[in-house]
Amino acid sequence: MVTSVPNKVGNYSSTGNGVHKLFFDDITNFLRRCLFRVLSVGPIPTHLAFIMDGNRRYAKKQNLKEGEGHKAGYLALMSLLRYCYELGIKYVTIYAFSIENFKRRPDEVQSLMDLMLEKMEALLMEESIVNQYGIRVCFIGNLRLLSEPVRAAAEKVMKVTSNNSKAMLLVCVAYTASNEIVHAVEGSCKEKEKEFRLCNLNNNVMDDVKEGEKVNGMVVHDIQDFYEDTSVESQGLKQGKGCNGTPYHACESFESNWDQVLTSKASKSGEVSEGFRNLRQEDPVIKLVDIEKHMYMAVAPDPDMLVRSSGESRLSNFLLWQTSNCQLYSPAALWPEIGLSQLVWAILKFQQSHSYLEKKMKQL
């Protein structure tokens, strides 16, 4: 009796379907890399945003149980992310859950939260796409609206992936653009209120003191140097924002401490030099840059293209501030049906109108 030994060549085994699948996968990967090499000859978007529309319709179309459409949509997302990062797209933003979605049936909302929690935990696994491609994950939106387990999981994912720098995935949960804009305006007003109080303090409370004289035990030019040094440091801290567009606590701590120091010294002495009074020559005014740095999406550049599946062309309160010069693409496929072909067409569409949009941007 002769025992047949499977003939193996490399990773291939002559056990039928296994050989065919491995061979097919390798050929597919090779052809995809060739296709991406050709596409890379032209401009590639830096930032793609996706509205993942059509999960529930896909479930009905395929006669699946409720919730199965979202699971299929997650698999489509993983494949699409892999294609994007292989193509060299550095930023990908997805609209995962709107604040408006909380108005759905409680059992449906809970099912989506459970699925989100499950997938957040999966992102931390060693073999996940996050670790394969060095992706930093940021959850964008009013995270206080999420349940405690989901919020804790989101914060854990952001912390664990914070040192990844090859690419970034921004997941918009508990998000609407109108809420983001209100949040940014509120943050700007709070920041300017501090500046306004400091400006009034300098202009109305303090009198002239000659250079070199002491104010409350401190030489005036030393106070000025300290103020200038710490102002620079404060600006540096302000630029170090978390994933949700909010400054780190170190910045808030620094500003509050400095306000206390300045208020204490000024109120006790009532004296300051002319140079110190002129540190804030202009009244604090909220400018465009102030609003933008308080946006949730301040951690990434504006998207170059927004893709919404299922043929819909509505923005649905998503990235309204950031998409004023963004291309829109609406393939007819439902989100779980989105794949390589839709991504390729999106890139070709982007390349076709890229030069025109570049000229328009330079005119602004």
Short mmCIF file of all heavy atoms in Angstrom, two decimals, residues 54-64 69 332-334 336-337:
data_model
loop_
_atom_site.label_atom_id
_atom_site.label_comp_id
_atom_site.label_asym_id
_atom_site.label_seq_id
_atom_site.Cartn_x
_atom_site.Cartn_y
_atom_site.Cartn_z
N GLY A 54 -26.66 52.45 3.33
CA GLY A 54 -27.28 51.31 2.64
C GLY A 54 -27.16 49.97 3.35
O GLY A 54 -27.51 48.94 2.78
N ASN A 55 -26.68 49.96 4.59
CA ASN A 55 -26.54 48.68 5.31
C ASN A 55 -27.89 48.00 5.55
O ASN A 55 -28.03 46.78 5.35
CB ASN A 55 -25.83 48.90 6.64
CG ASN A 55 -24.37 49.26 6.47
OD1 ASN A 55 -23.65 48.63 5.72
ND2 ASN A 55 -23.93 50.30 7.18
N ARG A 56 -28.88 48.77 5.98
CA ARG A 56 -30.19 48.17 6.25
C ARG A 56 -30.88 47.74 4.97
O ARG A 56 -31.53 46.68 4.93
CB ARG A 56 -31.06 49.17 7.03
CG ARG A 56 -30.54 49.42 8.45
CD ARG A 56 -31.52 50.24 9.27
NE ARG A 56 -31.68 51.59 8.75
CZ ARG A 56 -32.52 52.49 9.25
NH1 ARG A 56 -33.29 52.17 10.28
NH2 ARG A 56 -32.60 53.70 8.75
N ARG A 57 -30.74 48.54 3.92
CA ARG A 57 -31.33 48.15 2.63
C ARG A 57 -30.67 46.90 2.07
O ARG A 57 -31.32 46.07 1.44
CB ARG A 57 -31.21 49.32 1.64
CG ARG A 57 -32.30 50.37 1.77
CD ARG A 57 -32.04 51.56 0.89
NE ARG A 57 -31.02 52.44 1.46
CZ ARG A 57 -30.50 53.48 0.81
NH1 ARG A 57 -30.86 53.72 -0.44
NH2 ARG A 57 -29.62 54.24 1.40
N TYR A 58 -29.38 46.77 2.31
CA TYR A 58 -28.67 45.57 1.85
C TYR A 58 -29.22 44.34 2.57
O TYR A 58 -29.40 43.28 1.94
CB TYR A 58 -27.18 45.72 2.12
CG TYR A 58 -26.37 44.50 1.76
CD1 TYR A 58 -25.97 44.27 0.45
CD2 TYR A 58 -26.00 43.57 2.75
CE1 TYR A 58 -25.23 43.15 0.12
CE2 TYR A 58 -25.25 42.45 2.42
CZ TYR A 58 -24.87 42.24 1.11
OH TYR A 58 -24.14 41.13 0.78
N ALA A 59 -29.48 44.46 3.87
CA ALA A 59 -30.02 43.33 4.62
C ALA A 59 -31.38 42.91 4.10
O ALA A 59 -31.67 41.71 3.95
CB ALA A 59 -30.09 43.68 6.11
N LYS A 60 -32.22 43.89 3.80
CA LYS A 60 -33.53 43.57 3.24
C LYS A 60 -33.40 42.96 1.85
O LYS A 60 -34.10 42.00 1.51
CB LYS A 60 -34.38 44.85 3.16
CG LYS A 60 -34.78 45.40 4.52
CD LYS A 60 -35.62 46.66 4.37
CE LYS A 60 -36.02 47.22 5.73
NZ LYS A 60 -36.81 48.48 5.59
N LYS A 61 -32.50 43.49 1.06
CA LYS A 61 -32.28 42.99 -0.30
C LYS A 61 -31.82 41.53 -0.29
O LYS A 61 -32.23 40.74 -1.15
CB LYS A 61 -31.24 43.88 -1.00
CG LYS A 61 -30.88 43.46 -2.40
CD LYS A 61 -29.84 44.41 -2.98
CE LYS A 61 -29.38 43.97 -4.37
NZ LYS A 61 -28.33 44.89 -4.91
N GLN A 62 -30.99 41.18 0.68
CA GLN A 62 -30.43 39.82 0.77
C GLN A 62 -31.23 38.92 1.73
O GLN A 62 -30.80 37.79 1.99
CB GLN A 62 -28.98 39.90 1.24
CG GLN A 62 -28.06 40.69 0.34
CD GLN A 62 -27.90 40.05 -1.03
OE1 GLN A 62 -27.96 38.83 -1.16
NE2 GLN A 62 -27.68 40.87 -2.04
N ASN A 63 -32.36 39.43 2.23
CA ASN A 63 -33.19 38.68 3.18
C ASN A 63 -32.40 38.24 4.41
O ASN A 63 -32.52 37.11 4.89
CB ASN A 63 -33.81 37.45 2.50
CG ASN A 63 -34.79 37.83 1.40
OD1 ASN A 63 -35.58 38.76 1.57
ND2 ASN A 63 -34.75 37.12 0.28
N LEU A 64 -31.60 39.15 4.93
CA LEU A 64 -30.81 38.88 6.12
C LEU A 64 -31.54 39.38 7.36
O LEU A 64 -32.45 40.21 7.29
CB LEU A 64 -29.44 39.58 6.01
CG LEU A 64 -28.56 39.18 4.83
CD1 LEU A 64 -27.31 40.06 4.80
CD2 LEU A 64 -28.19 37.71 4.90
N GLY A 69 -26.80 43.39 8.07
CA GLY A 69 -26.32 44.32 7.04
C GLY A 69 -25.15 45.15 7.54
O GLY A 69 -24.20 45.42 6.79
N ALA A 332 -23.74 53.82 -7.10
CA ALA A 332 -25.06 53.24 -6.85
C ALA A 332 -25.03 52.08 -5.88
O ALA A 332 -26.05 51.75 -5.26
CB ALA A 332 -25.68 52.79 -8.17
N ALA A 333 -23.89 51.45 -5.70
CA ALA A 333 -23.78 50.28 -4.83
C ALA A 333 -24.11 50.62 -3.39
O ALA A 333 -23.74 51.70 -2.90
CB ALA A 333 -22.37 49.69 -4.93
N LEU A 334 -24.82 49.71 -2.70
CA LEU A 334 -25.03 49.85 -1.27
C LEU A 334 -23.70 49.64 -0.56
O LEU A 334 -22.80 49.00 -1.11
CB LEU A 334 -26.08 48.85 -0.80
CG LEU A 334 -27.46 48.96 -1.47
CD1 LEU A 334 -28.36 47.82 -1.00
CD2 LEU A 334 -28.10 50.30 -1.19
N PRO A 336 -22.37 47.66 1.79
CA PRO A 336 -21.72 46.33 1.83
C PRO A 336 -21.27 45.84 0.45
O PRO A 336 -20.47 44.89 0.38
CB PRO A 336 -22.81 45.42 2.41
CG PRO A 336 -23.69 46.34 3.19
CD PRO A 336 -23.71 47.61 2.37
N GLU A 337 -21.76 46.47 -0.61
CA GLU A 337 -21.37 46.08 -1.96
C GLU A 337 -20.18 46.88 -2.48
O GLU A 337 -19.65 46.58 -3.55
CB GLU A 337 -22.56 46.27 -2.91
CG GLU A 337 -23.78 45.44 -2.55
CD GLU A 337 -25.02 45.84 -3.33
OE1 GLU A 337 -25.06 46.98 -3.84
OE2 GLU A 337 -25.95 45.01 -3.41
#
